[in-house]
Amino acid sequence: MKKIKLMSHLIAGYPDKETALITARSLVKGGADILEIQLPFSDPSADGPAIQTACTKVLEKGYKTSEGLEFIHELHKEFPTIPIYLMSYGSLVYTPGVENFCKRASNAGVSGMIIPDLPFDFDEGLTQACQKYQMINIPVAAPSMSQERLSKLAHSNFPYIYAALRTGITGTETKIDENTKAFLKKVSEGGSRVYGGFGISNGKQSKALCDSVEAIVAGSVFVRLITEFSNDKTLLAKKIEEKARELCGM
């Protein structure tokens, strides 16, 4: 069977830099094609309990955006051929200035930005700034969007669109059914390639989804493994690699 393409989600600095690096290396070893690195945020709109809790723990240590970008830079140096997408929320990008933030992200090795709460057609200049610094902006599509708005996004010439497979927050399991596939078809009808995520945690789901997307996206499943096994780094590395292989169909 052909390998399933995987975008794996990782929170910078969780629970500490060493463990986050071990996790990233294990994800790549397990077959992850893209690393989606989340900068911790205090008031996320789409993250489920596992990711929210992890972000809170990192922020309680006084973790700064600059540390997150340093972490990304370190990963980029170690894995120069693996695309790194930065995921966070609008205020973190907007506060220092969108162009300034994008320049810093690009210099760190980021190749794409995923900012769920910046709408594709009112993105405060994010798409333009990404283009200036050789990155891509990856807008988010959700099933709760009106058909008209979804069609507008699909035909806006973004190279990639992140499709949230259901409404609500990440982490709880998602059922892949005909409605899911119809939604993904709608998202891709303008020619954009689609990343599909939200609640993907096992190989059965990734196999059901893989023919409808460019890559599957998994995050909370890895965060839960980090939370459970962070006291045993060797076991954690093994568990993360195994889960990545399962999701890749390997």
Side-chain angles (χ1 to χ4, degrees), residues 152-205:
K152 184 182 177 186
L153 169 57
H155 292 90
S156 291
N157 298 315
F158 287 97
Y160 298 93
I161 296 173
Y162 184 122
L165 299 177
R166 54 173 170 72
T167 55
I169 56 174
T170 61
T172 54
E173 190 161 322
T174 299
K175 183 182 178 186
I176 311 300
D177 56 21
E178 291 310 309
N179 289 333
T180 310
K181 293 180 180 180
F183 167 63
L184 291 168
K185 189 173 181 182
K186 184 81 174 172
V187 176
S188 65
E189 69 179 14
S192 301
R193 285 177 280 182
V194 178
Y195 299 125
F198 259 51
I200 302 302
S201 61
N202 60 62
K204 183 179 178 182
Q205 289 171 302

Side-chain angles (χ1 to χ4, degrees), residues 25-53:
R25 289 167 184 148
S26 300
L27 288 167
V28 173
K29 192 175 178 183
D33 302 274
I34 301 163
L35 293 174
E36 179 190 9
I37 309 297
Q38 177 169 350
L39 297 185
F41 190 73
S42 58
D43 189 24
S45 58
D47 296 329
I51 291 177
Q52 280 191 36
T53 302

Side-chain angles (χ1 to χ4, degrees), residues 17-223:
K17 182 182 176 181
E18 181 195 359
T19 308
L21 282 170
I22 288 168
T23 302
R25 289 167 184 148
S26 300
L27 288 167
V28 173
K29 192 175 178 183
D33 302 274
I34 301 163
L35 293 174
E36 179 190 9
I37 309 297
Q38 177 169 350
L39 297 185
F41 190 73
S42 58
D43 189 24
S45 58
D47 296 329
I51 291 177
Q52 280 191 36
T53 302
C55 283
T56 299
K57 288 184 177 178
V58 176
L59 291 171
E60 282 173 351
K61 298 177 182 179
Y63 198 81
K64 295 180 173 59
T65 296
S66 58
E67 292 176 87
L69 292 173
E70 285 168 14
F71 174 71
I72 287 170
H73 186 53
E74 201 164 324
L75 287 180
H76 178 61
K77 285 193 293 183
E78 188 167 343
F79 303 109
T81 63
I82 300 283
I84 297 176
Y85 295 160
L86 185 154
M87 183 262 161
S88 197
Y89 290 90
S91 66
L92 212 64
V93 178
Y94 183 78
T95 302
V98 173
E99 185 168 328
N100 174 47
F101 186 93
C102 285
K103 183 179 181 179
R104 291 171 66 200
S106 179
N107 287 341
V110 172
S111 53
M113 302 276 283
I114 302 171
I115 312 296
D117 58 343
L118 283 183
F120 71 94
D121 47 357
F122 295 99
D123 68 4
E124 304 293 350
L126 179 63
T127 299
Q128 190 175 3
C130 283
Q131 289 169 346
K132 181 174 180 177
Y133 294 105
Q134 292 78 53
M135 299 186 296
I136 51 173
N137 178 28
I138 304 166
V140 177
S144 56
M145 286 173 130
S146 68
Q147 291 300 301
E148 181 184 5
R149 186 162 175 73
L150 190 58
S151 181
K152 184 182 177 186
L153 169 57
H155 292 90
S156 291
N157 298 315
F158 287 97
Y160 298 93
I161 296 173
Y162 184 122
L165 299 177
R166 54 173 170 72
T167 55
I169 56 174
T170 61
T172 54
E173 190 161 322
T174 299
K175 183 182 178 186
I176 311 300
D177 56 21
E178 291 310 309
N179 289 333
T180 310
K181 293 180 180 180
F183 167 63
L184 291 168
K185 189 173 181 182
K186 184 81 174 172
V187 176
S188 65
E189 69 179 14
S192 301
R193 285 177 280 182
V194 178
Y195 299 125
F198 259 51
I200 302 302
S201 61
N202 60 62
K204 183 179 178 182
Q205 289 171 302
S206 58
K207 287 184 178 79
L209 189 60
C210 65
D211 290 338
S212 302
V213 296
E214 168 76 10
I216 64 145
V217 186
S220 294
V221 62
F222 295 121
V223 174

